[in-house]
Amino acid sequence: AQVSAVAGYEVVLQDVNPESLERAKASITESLARFVSKERISEPEAGLALTRIHTTTDLSDVAEADIVIEAVFENLDVKTAIFSELDAICKPTAVLATNTSSISVTAIANGLKHPQRMVGMHFFNPVPLLPLVEVIAGPETDPALAQRVSDIAVAWGKTPVRAKDTPGFI
């Protein structure tokens, strides 16, 4: 969320738990303050980034997003349930990306009505500092979509690398 907002994108940060959203926003605020103190960004840039991050507990608030990046804990059943709902509510052109570090993108996309728009977008932690992003296409992922995700990563100041949908990716 922070990286995207700093790059100028509007962000909807969704979680079922309002307290988790408050902690996330506080963590981003602290991280941006550290970036300002180290002169990596200006105070006005940090303030603008914060205004671009909107929080919600309602998953339907991401329905109009161009890209949705899921980052829940590593549980296949939870991830497939979320993506099944996203597949139903998101606009047809939306990218559905998982930040999984270990679960097969193919397994997560299994059962989706539109598996061609499912891709892995695995950020390395801490995300604001580490440049690498694995872009993982499943066998049904539209190749143009994988390229689109790579282009988004570059726009966010990241270095995308293509990875095969195998355990552990790269």
Side-chain angles (χ1 to χ4, degrees):
Q2 175 181 330
V3 168
S4 179
V6 167
Y9 289 70
E10 292 294 320
V11 175
V12 177
L13 188 58
Q14 189 275 335
D15 197 296
V16 295
N17 184 336
E19 292 81 21
S20 293
L21 291 168
E22 289 174 21
R23 284 191 306 273
K25 194 83 182 243
S27 176
I28 292 168
T29 301
E30 291 172 21
S31 177
L32 288 170
R34 283 191 302 275
F35 274 58
V36 168
S37 71
K38 294 180 181 184
E39 299 181 353
R40 294 187 68 178
I41 62 172
S42 70
E43 195 165 325
E45 288 172 315
L48 272 174
L50 285 172
T51 68
R52 293 184 188 112
I53 301 173
H54 314 281
T55 60
T56 184
T57 57
D58 187 351
L59 191 61
S60 67
D61 288 341
V62 305
E64 292 302 313
D66 293 320
I67 181 170
V68 178
I69 304 170
E70 161 277 321
V72 300
F73 52 92
E74 297 292 280
N75 179 296
L76 179 60
D77 292 336
V78 172
K79 288 180 183 288
T80 56
I82 289 169
F83 279 108
S84 178
E85 191 170 349
L86 289 169
D87 195 33
I89 67 171
C90 289
K91 60 187 180 182
T93 56
V95 173
L96 301 181
T98 178
N99 187 42
T100 186
S101 60
S102 61
I103 299 174
S104 163
V105 172
T106 303
I108 296 170
N110 189 29
L112 294 182
K113 291 179 182 170
H114 307 285
Q116 68 278 5
R117 65 182 182 161
M118 179 75 203
V119 66
M121 190 176 192
H122 176 237
F123 294 83
F124 285 77
N125 282 312
V127 176
L129 297 175
L130 296 181
L132 192 63
V133 175
E134 292 173 308
V135 176
I136 307 105
E140 295 188 61
T141 302
D142 179 347
L145 181 128
Q147 183 58 52
R148 185 172 155 204
V149 169
S150 291
D151 294 344
I152 290 168
V154 170
W156 291 352
K158 298 297 178 183
T159 303
V161 291
R162 296 289 182 94
K164 291 186 180 189
D165 192 14
T166 58
F169 311 122
I170 293 176

